[in-house]
Amino acid sequence: MSTLDPGSPPTDELPFFVYGTLLPGEPNHDLFLRGRTSGERPAVLPRALLYDGPGYPYAIDGHGRVHGTLLTAAPGVYGELLGLLDHLEEYLGPGHPRNLYERVVREVELPGEGAPGTREGQGPHGTRAWVYLAAAAVTRSLRTSGSVIAEGRWVTGRPPGGPRTP
């Protein structure tokens, strides 16, 4: 389910776009990412909607924007980080029927970046990254009975009194 064509650069060490419990200040950030990233910066996933889930959100393709963080793996830990995130997101492989999420390549926007294409690997709309989107069965359920999170920001969708990102 990738948007890549055969002439695209390899995807073996793309950054990751996160938008829920892996955000800085959230519980899974320290558990899974501490010491495993060399860079973290705000980013936006265009053409996506964010839905509330059971303690974590789901992003799906749609007419909106999801706000999150672009993570770059620290040198030498890419494979470990990829495995940890695949396990956390219950991703078993492309199109696997038991996937909770699908890991796909998407273009993400980097707010505050200069002119398009000024950074290595950056295209006219930002940069390519791995994103975990809700798997097909979950997406169908969300579209029929899910609750969209306003403004595509997971922390704004929390009930009052819940944990907050500092």
Side-chain angles (χ1 to χ4, degrees), residues 62-138:
H63 299 291
R65 296 166 61 80
V66 173
H67 297 266
T69 299
L70 187 70
L71 309 170
T72 303
V77 300
Y78 190 88
E80 174 191 3
L81 184 57
L82 183 65
L84 284 169
L85 295 180
D86 281 354
H87 179 75
L88 174 67
E89 306 296 4
E90 297 184 40
Y91 171 72
L92 303 173
H96 193 286
R98 291 192 331 219
N99 282 349
L100 184 60
Y101 291 88
E102 289 286 339
R103 177 170 35 93
V104 297
V105 176
R106 291 291 188 266
E107 195 82 13
V108 298
E109 298 171 355
L110 303 170
E113 291 292 321
T118 58
R119 298 182 64 120
E120 184 176 326
Q122 186 174 332
H125 301 291
T127 193
R128 294 169 348 116
W130 287 121
V131 179
Y132 291 90
L133 297 179
V138 176

Side-chain angles (χ1 to χ4, degrees), residues 13-39:
E13 293 213 6
L14 288 176
F16 299 89
F17 174 81
V18 299
Y19 53 84
T21 65
L22 289 165
L23 288 169
E26 295 297 330
N28 284 336
H29 184 275
D30 283 350
L31 287 172
F32 292 90
L33 301 175
R34 183 183 296 269
R36 294 184 177 103
T37 65
S38 63

